[in-house]
């Protein structure tokens, strides 16, 4: 069984400040980890993924995430947040590269000017 | 193809009616997935096809739900005798090797 926890329902940050969205996971075997962003009434947009290799993964729109195996975490980060980053962010895990994704409940990010 | 297409974008139906949604995946993608997302929740897996074969179904997919992918191309998701609890966003995704591309979803409202 696999599971994902996003401990924060909402993250508030001022524009220009660093943004962090937390995610922890549980999976048997090697994890395949993903971050998606969703704008109102839209589908999911892919941000980045970890399959193997470097623990620091760089993705779209200036986002990056750090894979930490010992803490089973995959936190999403952005050094300087923009108002346009305000959206719903989902972390997801799979136990292989093509199987079903298990999503977290999502974290609403609010970036204020 | 530039992405995964879903039709319709919105559907309002009366309780008890049947509805069908369509998903057109990226043409070279052999895997296709359906997810359901209710308000305030993350997407939940419903079913998965590899080519035309339906390889896995969630327990969420009751006997009122059926999905097909004839010829391994587009897919349809049908809900029979809709209930108010079926109101949700239905998302389709496709994949070839690694990673998934999601469509914009079909929002179903059962009144």
């Amino acid at each position: 069984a696999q599971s994902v926890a996003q401990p924060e329902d909402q993250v508030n940050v001022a524009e220009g400040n660093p943004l962090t969205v937390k995610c922890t996971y549980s999976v048997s075997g090697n994890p395949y980890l993903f971050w998606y962003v969703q704008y109102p009434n839209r589908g999911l947009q892919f941000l980045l993924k970890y399959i193997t290799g470097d623990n620091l993964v760089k993705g779209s729109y200036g986002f990056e995430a750090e894979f930490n195996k010992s803490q089973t975490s995959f936190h999403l980060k952005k050094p300087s947040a923009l108002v346009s980053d305000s959206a719903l962010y989902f972390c997801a895990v799979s136990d292989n590269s093509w199987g079903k994704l298990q999503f977290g409940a999502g974290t609403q990010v609010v970036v204020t000017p | 193809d530039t992405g995964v297409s879903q039709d319709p974008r919105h559907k309002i139906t009366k309780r008890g009616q049947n509805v069908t949604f369509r998903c057109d995946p990226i043409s070279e993608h052999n895997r296709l997935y359906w997810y359901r997302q209710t308000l305030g929740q993350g997407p939940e897996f419903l079913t998965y096809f590899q080519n035309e074969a339906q390889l896995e179904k969630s327990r969420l997919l009751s006997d009122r739900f059926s999905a097909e992918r004839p010829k391994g191309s587009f897919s349809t998701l049908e809900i029979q005798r809709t209930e108010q609890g079926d109101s949700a966003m239905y998302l389709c995704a496709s994949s070839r090797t690694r990673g998934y591309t999601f469509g914009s979803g079909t929002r179903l409202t059962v009144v």
Side-chain angles (χ1 to χ4, degrees):
Chain A
Q2 52 207 36
S3 64
V4 174
Q6 292 183 242
E8 301 153 317
D9 291 337
Q10 182 164 315
V11 169
N12 298 298
V13 63
E15 186 174 31
N17 282 359
L19 169 64
T20 298
V21 186
K22 296 179 180 177
C23 171
T24 58
Y25 67 90
S26 174
V27 67
S28 56
N30 294 322
Y32 294 77
L33 295 156
F34 302 81
W35 275 102
Y36 287 86
V37 60
Q38 186 175 40
Y39 294 95
N41 296 313
R42 300 293 298 275
L44 300 172
Q45 288 180 234
F46 171 79
L47 285 178
L48 50 80
K49 65 184 177 186
Y50 172 83
I51 305 294
T52 186
D54 289 342
N55 290 341
L56 185 63
V57 179
K58 293 189 181 297
S60 306
Y61 313 118
F63 284 94
E64 58 187 31
E66 186 168 10
F67 171 65
N68 188 315
K69 187 174 182 178
S70 63
Q71 298 186 0
T72 61
S73 67
F74 189 58
H75 301 331
L76 181 70
K77 299 180 180 182
K78 187 171 184 179
S80 178
L82 301 172
V83 173
S84 57
D85 293 328
S86 297
L88 189 55
Y89 290 78
F90 290 100
C91 181
V93 67
S94 179
D95 58 5
N96 55 58
S97 64
W98 46 262
K100 62 186 179 185
L101 293 173
Q102 179 70 47
F103 285 87
T107 298
Q108 183 70 48
V109 170
V110 178
V111 183
T112 51
Chain B
D1 292 331
T2 57
V4 177
S5 298
Q6 291 190 247
D7 183 70
R9 291 292 306 274
H10 303 274
K11 178 70 176 179
I12 300 175
T13 190
K14 292 183 178 179
R15 189 174 52 185
Q17 297 295 304
N18 300 343
V19 295
T20 300
F21 311 140
R22 177 179 171 126
C23 172
D24 287 273
I26 292 173
S27 58
E28 63 267 26
H29 285 186
N30 60 342
R31 299 185 181 102
L32 187 147
Y33 311 78
W34 285 98
Y35 289 81
R36 181 174 70 185
Q37 184 180 19
T38 53
L39 200 62
Q41 300 296 320
E44 298 172 295
F45 170 78
L46 291 178
T47 190
Y48 149 63
F49 291 85
Q50 181 164 322
N51 300 314
E52 68 275 9
Q54 188 174 18
L55 296 187
E56 187 173 354
K57 294 195 298 183
S58 162
R59 284 174 296 178
L60 294 174
L61 212 67
S62 75
D63 56 5
R64 296 185 298 106
F65 287 70
S66 63
E68 295 182 341
R69 192 183 182 197
K71 302 179 182 177
S73 56
F74 70 92
S75 176
T76 58
L77 178 68
E78 180 184 14
I79 309 174
Q80 296 182 328
R81 307 180 303 280
T82 51
E83 302 173 355
Q84 286 189 320
D86 297 331
S87 295
M89 174 78 87
Y90 290 84
L91 295 166
C92 177
S94 69
S95 170
R96 179 173 174 81
T97 52
R98 295 178 171 180
Y100 310 75
T101 302
F102 281 85
S104 295
T106 294
R107 179 166 295 284
L108 173 66
T109 302
V110 181
V111 298

